[in-house]
Amino acid sequence: MTMNLDALYPPIEPHESGELLVGDGHRMYWEVSGNREGKPVVFLHGGPGSGTSAWQRRFFDPEVYRIVLLDQRGCGRSTPHASAPDTDLRFVTTAHLIADIELLRRNLGIERWQVFGGSWGSALALAYAQAHPDAVSELVLRGIFTLRREELEWFYEGGAAALFPDLWEEFLAPIPVLERSHMIEAYHRRLFDPDPAVHEPAAVAWSRWEASTVTLRPDAAQIEAMSDPRTATAFARIENHFFVNRGWWSEGQLIAGVDAIRHIPTVIVQGRHDVCTPMMTAWDLHTAWPEAEFVVVDDAGHSAAEPGIQRALRAATDRFAH
């Protein structure tokens, strides 16, 4: 994927990596880069189901930070991969992911770390911090997403179609007309059909809808990357699985729970033109948590790769670096 990442630090390679046995037959890929003795930070990727990429190490000053990336259960380099025909996501839940993050923190000998997460990663970061506030030194959150009904209905049940009617037609295409009143459920039936002739076209349509709308201007390389059937299948299945179950949270739970983390220094970065996770959620979080710094990027959509978002996120990590 070709991206302009001039606002970030130069590329680096990990000096340590491995697979953590997290239970239930799952192995979680993790890696560490940057300063071996530096300030710990953990990067929580989006989706859920997207996995991490090398460029995501670059939000952090490698001279200062001990940078931890991980691929959440079922995606990226973690195994088993959710693209497998016989995939079983019973043990891929928010509670499992939180426990995995804690296990990794302890295994790496880290007492407290900065938690950095965007999109689904912001939801997981909030949930993790609320469960383990003493383990979190700061939070850097981007593109706030909490899986409330209105958020899911906006993007997957027709709200965002008002802005992208042409792309919405492609998202509708795999679903018969009589099932289109409940798109997430209709996709669920197809994504978890064991027949690749059924689940692969559905997965590609689901993933292309998201890839086509996450940036202010279309990113052809990102759309192409998300159209790979294996990548798309894992991504779409895991996302849909979490959305059908609403993250296993009660409605509004993450925003209602901010009292547990109000004392943690936090920066919230939100693209003004974010269609995937529109600013209404970031605003609700900001209203409930005015102590957190709230940064609106007026010339950006959802993606962390957009220049204005890059600059705001790097400014946040630089501020927390010492």
Side-chain angles (χ1 to χ4, degrees):
M1 192 184 302
T2 302
M3 293 182 287
N4 183 342
L5 300 171
D6 292 347
L8 302 183
Y9 286 95
I12 54 173
E13 293 299 319
H15 50 67
E16 189 180 359
S17 65
E19 290 183 338
L20 184 65
L21 295 171
V22 292
D24 313 308
H26 284 266
R27 293 173 178 262
M28 183 177 75
Y29 172 83
W30 60 271
E31 63 173 54
V32 183
S33 55
N35 184 342
R36 294 174 188 269
E37 306 300 323
K39 177 184 176 73
V41 60
V42 61
F43 180 98
L44 302 182
H45 66 70
S50 67
T52 54
S53 301
W55 70 274
Q56 292 162 339
R57 305 168 192 141
R58 299 174 56 186
F59 288 104
F60 315 98
D61 183 344
E63 299 297 317
V64 173
Y65 279 103
R66 183 184 181 193
I67 305 159
V68 181
L69 269 62
L70 60 94
D71 288 341
Q72 296 158 31
R73 292 189 184 202
C75 67
R77 288 153 287 187
S78 294
T79 58
H81 200 263
S83 63
D86 59 346
T87 191
D88 180 357
L89 298 185
R90 282 180 299 163
F91 304 110
V92 183
T93 70
T94 303
H96 287 98
L97 300 188
I98 290 171
D100 295 349
I101 296 166
E102 258 304 270
L103 183 61
L104 180 62
R105 181 185 68 82
R106 294 198 302 271
N107 273 33
L108 293 176
I110 293 170
E111 182 178 353
R112 297 168 77 228
W113 53 7
Q114 181 182 125
V115 180
F116 180 112
S119 193
W120 158 253
S122 75
L124 184 57
L126 287 166
Y128 172 79
Q130 289 174 19
H132 300 283
D134 294 340
V136 181
S137 57
E138 303 94 11
L139 285 163
V140 178
L141 308 173
R142 186 267 313 164
I144 305 303
F145 182 46
T146 66
L147 281 68
R148 295 177 300 176
R149 179 184 297 275
E150 63 186 323
E151 299 170 44
L152 293 172
E153 288 184 348
W154 159 260
F155 194 61
Y156 295 101
E157 303 289 355
L163 297 175
F164 296 101
D166 50 343
L167 301 176
W168 183 250
E169 281 197 7
E170 297 177 18
F171 185 66
L172 288 176
I175 306 302
V177 173
L178 292 179
E179 294 184 58
R180 290 179 182 175
S181 60
H182 299 286
M183 292 293 288
I184 293 174
E185 293 176 13
Y187 262 98
H188 186 79
R189 289 187 283 274
R190 284 153 186 83
L191 291 170
F192 289 90
D193 189 301
D195 184 355
V198 176
H199 68 243
E200 284 188 359
V204 170
W206 176 284
S207 300
R208 284 180 66 89
W209 163 245
E210 185 161 330
S212 300
T213 53
V214 292
T215 47
L216 195 57
R217 298 179 182 277
D219 182 338
Q222 183 169 9
I223 296 167
E224 182 65 25
M226 289 304 294
S227 299
D228 170 71
R230 182 176 185 271
T231 301
T233 298
F235 178 75
R237 279 178 168 170
I238 295 172
E239 276 202 340
N240 183 278
H241 168 65
F242 273 76
F243 299 168
V244 164
N245 290 287
R246 299 288 178 82
W248 296 269
W249 295 311
S250 59
E251 183 74 2
Q253 178 179 328
L254 292 181
I255 295 175
V258 297
D259 279 351
I261 57 174
R262 195 174 295 280
H263 63 287
I264 298 174
T266 298
V267 175
I268 300 165
V269 175
Q270 179 68 38
R272 169 75 69 180
H273 303 286
D274 187 335
V275 173
C276 185
T277 60
M279 188 171 143
M280 61 182 181
T281 305
W283 184 257
D284 289 347
L285 180 62
H286 165 63
T287 302
W289 193 9
E291 298 87 352
E293 181 181 345
F294 186 52
V295 181
V296 178
V297 182
D298 282 323
D299 61 350
H302 179 70
S303 174
E306 294 186 78
I309 303 281
Q310 289 181 47
R311 289 191 293 270
L313 291 172
R314 175 173 166 171
T317 65
D318 284 350
R319 202 183 90 204
F320 289 146
H322 302 285

